[in-house]
Amino acid sequence: MIKVDKTQLQIHLSERYRDIKKPELKAVMMIQDELLSSLRDYLRGIGFIEILAPIIGPATDPGIRGAKQVSFDYYGTQFKIMSSMILYKQMAINSMEKVFALSPNIRLEPDETINTGRHLSEFRQLDLEVAEATYNDVMKIGEDMVTFCIKRIKTNCSEDLEILGRKLKTPKTPFKKIKHIDAVKYLQDKGYNVKQGEEIPWDAEGYLSKSHEDFFWMIDYPKTARGFYDKEDEDNPGILKDFDLCYPEGFGEAISGAEREFKYEKVRQRILNGGESEEHYKWYLDMLKEGTTPSAGFGIGVERFTRYICGLEHIWEAVPFPKVPGVVSP
Ligand code: AMP
Ligand code: MG
């Protein structure tokens, strides 16, 4: 974890009009531009269609690890700002086989996440979904996509990488896969307070990432750690067909994704078991009841990917107009 002085950061970010003139921030933005076009080119090249992401709606992704959603009055109905468009991807997949969107998300992350170096309260995900796919299929897309983007940035942005002093390595595919249960055991042996059945805390995840020289997957999370939309493995009850991709060098989580649960009754039960109301997810449950296409997909944070590529200490250096948890800035 990084120790951040919140007051100083607040002053610093209120003068972003100064930072924006610096060659380092310009280099980051040039690399980000190349990253965005690489992501789009890669996905279009394998048959994906880009769709427009919703920004508001009656319900949004509840699986956001302690962050708060933003609610507001929408013509007399309570609406949310998207914390992720995941529920909508499952709708889109009934029309097209492979879809993606650059989706803006708002999550009021807990104050202490300012010290992880990888949390913003406003960020963007490249969100994608593939009809009739398994989680192994979309992990393959994830590792090929990440490798494609890094190779292209190394070729097309070498001067910008040099300004930032970043020696970027080309990843080697296929990436290693570690089961959540084994990652937890390993971290417990190293003295981290990590429990089976739960998400891996930020500091422990950072350690795991630091102890790897290349990208790796963490797979098969327990049902108790993730949202109702991730599919339970029928041969392995209690375990989900889901995954995270982790950056090496301590940069932590890059991607989260899964095969989706699409059966109405199973999702309904999981919503209720999670203490939430069916009414809140009405349109989504109605869609499942009518029958929806099975799918798998993931989201990759654009600013986190930029941070890794540029080798930046803090994620707010990886976005022109950053919004950092607990900090009020332009
Ligand atoms: P999640 O579904 O919560 O795993 O989010 C999907 C991806 O979005 C993550 O793997 C990260 O790359 C990115 N992400 C999630 N939360 C944040 C955040 N607070 N700030 C920046 N990026 C984030
Ligand atoms: Mg995640």
Side-chain angles (χ1 to χ4, degrees), residues 197 220-225 231-240:
D220 298 353
Y221 280 68
K223 195 163 130 184
T224 40
K231 192 168 195 290
E232 190 168 4
D233 186 347
E234 272 152 22
D235 303 325
N236 207 351
I239 301 297
L240 302 171

Side-chain angles (χ1 to χ4, degrees), residues 11-132:
I11 295 167
H12 182 83
L13 291 182
S14 66
E15 295 171 351
R16 195 65 170 164
Y17 51 84
R18 292 203 173 121
D19 271 358
I20 209 95
K21 296 176 190 158
K22 292 181 183 156
E24 291 81 6
L25 185 51
K26 185 171 176 193
V28 170
M29 291 197 286
M30 295 301 284
I31 289 169
Q32 195 158 62
D33 173 63
E34 186 65 23
L35 172 61
L36 291 168
S37 61
S38 307
L39 288 164
R40 287 191 160 112
D41 289 349
Y42 178 75
L43 292 174
R44 290 205 180 108
I46 57 167
F48 275 82
I49 302 290
E50 181 168 6
I51 59 168
L52 296 178
I55 295 179
I56 57 173
T60 185
D61 180 8
I64 53 173
R65 298 189 66 168
K68 282 203 203 100
Q69 300 175 345
V70 178
S71 305
F72 64 99
D73 177 72
Y74 183 77
Y75 302 105
T77 298
Q78 211 200 46
F79 252 43
K80 306 275 185 195
I81 301 180
M82 287 300 127
S83 52
S84 137
M85 65 168 296
I86 183 159
L87 306 178
Y88 290 88
K89 291 195 291 186
Q90 271 183 279
M91 174 155 36
I93 214 64
N94 288 297
S95 163
M96 277 165 295
E97 193 200 332
K98 294 175 177 173
V99 295
F100 77 97
L102 268 163
S103 156
N105 294 174
I106 301 288
R107 298 183 188 181
L108 302 183
E109 299 281 359
D111 280 34
E112 61 271 21
T113 58
I114 193 175
N115 295 317
T116 65
R118 52 184 185 274
H119 285 86
L120 292 166
S121 37
E122 176 192 78
F123 64 98
R124 287 124 205 107
Q125 275 188 61
L126 186 138
D127 243 316
L128 64 78
E129 199 72 14
V130 182
E132 312 284 356

Side-chain angles (χ1 to χ4, degrees), residues 296-314:
F298 64 75
I300 178 164
V302 174
E303 296 85 351
R304 285 193 190 177
F305 198 2
T306 309
R307 174 184 176 229
Y308 172 73
I309 291 168
C310 297
L312 306 170
E313 189 179 14
H314 307 293

Side-chain angles (χ1 to χ4, degrees), residues 226 244 253 256:
R226 292 273 157 116
D244 271 13
E253 177 193 332
S256 285

Side-chain angles (χ1 to χ4, degrees), residues 163-223:
I163 290 173
L164 299 169
R166 176 64 164 156
K167 302 249 175 304
L168 187 60
K169 279 199 307 190
T170 306
K172 279 192 210 75
T173 54
F175 299 162
K176 185 169 145 189
K177 287 181 181 156
I178 309 169
K179 288 193 172 159
H180 179 274
I181 193 170
D182 297 325
V184 170
K185 271 189 216 133
Y186 173 80
L187 288 164
Q188 282 171 340
D189 287 347
K190 297 286 171 194
Y192 282 92
N193 182 17
V194 188
K195 296 189 187 79
Q196 294 293 358
E198 291 182 9
E199 274 280 9
I200 295 173
W202 312 121
D203 59 337
E205 182 197 287
Y207 175 82
L208 203 59
S209 162
K210 211 168 215 154
S211 59
H212 281 79
E213 290 198 354
D214 214 332
F215 285 75
F216 61 98
W217 296 103
M218 274 200 278
I219 61 167
D220 298 353
Y221 280 68
K223 195 163 130 184

